[in-house]
Amino acid sequence: MNIPPQQLLILAGILFAIGVGGFVIRRNLIVVLMSIELMLNAANLTFIAASRMHSTSEVQNLDGAVFAIFVICVAAVEAAVGLALVIAFFRRHQSISLDSLGAGE
Amino acid sequence: MVDLQKPFYGGLTLFFVAMLGWGISSAGAPGLAFGFSAALTLGGSLVCIWERSVVRSAFSLMGTFVGVAGLFILLGADFVGMAQILIYVGGILALLLFGVMLSPPDMEERKLSRVAGGLVLMGAAVAWVSAKVAATVEWAQLPKDELPEMTTSVHDIGVGFIAPDKYVVAFELAAVLLTVALVAAVYIARRKMADFEPAKDIPSKDIAGKEAAMKEIA
């Protein structure tokens, strides 16, 4: 179907802004990780939209799709390492609220 | 503080219905699919950063991921949409739900000053980025409406991944990155050997009794 690229870019921008807002507002480390995932998703959406904008009916542009797959891979890595960090943080501070960061040792 | 729960969800429902109506009125059935996916994406992300309960945040994040996957499929990137569902919903979300077990709900979280400060910062960031974008992107050169049909077949993507003149280096680097990250995650999250030393596990007054017990075992 035909989705105008402007609408997609605006949608990705709003999604990214929501991710930034969650990253700033929330204190729970896990929700901060989720906000990072939201921002990565917005970037993926932009990649796919741009890939579609640059392909013609003869030549398909696959760069966006391939890069979206790499971004998904990096997001998986980030979730794994981030969760390990959350566990280490919890072991040290007995809490995963970012406010307890200043209260530690 | 006033209870904002009902107004928030009421507004969200209105937004959802409005998106569906806008989709139908602008493009019929495909527009309905686009409106549904877009509303699922934005609504899920809003609930995710709004809800105090981390479990609800995690499950509304699932809505966002599924919505984005729907958008990918609508755009013709079927393979990426399926990978999104497999990896995000099946993998990352399950991983995050493990972390949820560590976290009690935080009732102080939604303080007005905090939310207002965050909104101001967010608005400033959005304004700055959109000003930059508006100044640099040449909107007239963007294709208007008629985008060609697009089908990214798995075959093409796979050939791109292993073709030496395309993405093979990045592909191998991604594999190395995944290996390193998994090892690093285990290394960070493991308990140190020192944590298992018996003398550290027990209060000091019990040490004498514990040592006697250990001698008995030995």
Side-chain angles (χ1 to χ4, degrees):
Chain A
M1 67 166 288
N2 272 323
I3 303 171
Q6 279 86 346
Q7 287 176 16
L8 274 171
L9 293 182
I10 291 169
L11 182 73
I14 296 174
L15 189 61
F16 191 86
I18 292 173
V20 172
F23 189 83
V24 173
I25 294 175
R26 297 301 298 261
R27 290 182 297 184
N28 191 315
L29 258 178
I30 292 180
V31 183
V32 170
L33 276 183
M34 292 180 192
S35 303
I36 296 175
E37 303 288 347
L38 287 181
M39 291 191 265
L40 287 171
N41 257 299
N44 263 347
L45 207 52
T46 319
F47 269 130
I48 298 286
S51 164
R52 195 183 151 95
M53 275 185 240
H54 283 275
S55 51
T56 59
S57 44
E58 294 89 41
V59 183
Q60 304 267 316
N61 188 320
L62 286 180
D63 296 358
V66 169
F67 260 90
I69 292 170
F70 285 134
V71 171
I72 290 177
C73 168
V74 171
V77 165
E78 176 254 322
V81 176
L83 216 63
L85 285 175
V86 168
I87 289 174
F89 187 93
F90 180 78
R91 195 170 291 144
R92 198 180 178 96
H93 297 279
Q94 297 306 311
S95 150
I96 60 166
S97 169
L98 282 173
D99 280 355
S100 63
L101 199 55
E105 290 143 82
Chain B
M1 193 182 157
V2 277
D3 183 23
L4 291 174
Q5 204 77 353
K6 270 183 190 166
F8 176 76
Y9 280 107
L12 207 64
T13 315
L14 277 183
F15 166 74
F16 209 89
V17 174
M19 285 292 278
L20 290 187
W22 168 76
I24 291 181
S25 62
S26 61
L32 179 69
F34 175 68
F36 182 75
S37 298
L40 205 60
T41 303
L42 292 184
S45 56
L46 278 176
V47 175
C48 174
I49 70 166
W50 168 267
E51 268 294 343
R52 277 180 295 206
S53 150
V54 192
V55 182
R56 289 188 193 171
S57 279
F59 278 103
S60 64
L61 201 63
M62 186 166 76
T64 301
F65 291 157
V66 171
V68 172
L71 285 173
F72 286 166
I73 292 171
L74 280 178
L75 283 170
D78 320 17
F79 178 70
V80 183
M82 286 301 143
Q84 163 100 3
I85 289 184
L86 274 178
I87 298 177
Y88 268 107
V89 182
I92 293 178
L93 205 61
L95 208 59
L96 285 173
L97 279 171
F98 275 111
V100 168
M101 288 187 278
L102 295 175
S103 54
D106 185 354
M107 291 306 163
E108 287 292 301
E109 186 139 46
R110 218 182 287 151
K111 270 189 304 194
L112 198 58
S113 58
R114 190 179 183 85
V115 173
L119 283 180
V120 167
L121 211 62
M122 184 173 147
V126 170
W128 185 73
V129 170
S130 40
K132 277 277 182 197
V133 168
T136 49
V137 175
E138 286 160 21
W139 292 98
Q141 287 187 6
L142 284 183
K144 280 293 177 232
D145 285 328
E146 289 303 310
L147 288 178
E149 279 301 314
M150 187 173 169
T151 47
T152 54
S153 70
V154 184
H155 179 259
D156 294 345
I157 292 179
V159 167
F161 271 144
I162 57 172
D165 56 338
K166 292 196 114 175
Y167 308 106
V168 69
V169 178
F171 185 63
E172 296 298 334
L173 274 181
V176 174
L177 176 71
L178 275 172
T179 314
V180 171
L182 287 182
V183 175
V186 174
Y187 179 78
I188 294 171
R190 86 197 198 286
R191 297 188 67 172
K192 309 274 184 298
M193 248 357 240
D195 293 347
F196 293 111
E197 278 175 22
K200 284 195 176 173
D201 282 344
I202 47 175
S204 51
K205 61 178 172 153
D206 289 343
I207 282 185
K210 193 86 169 193
E211 275 173 353
M214 291 201 40
K215 260 178 207 153
E216 224 166 78
I217 295 171

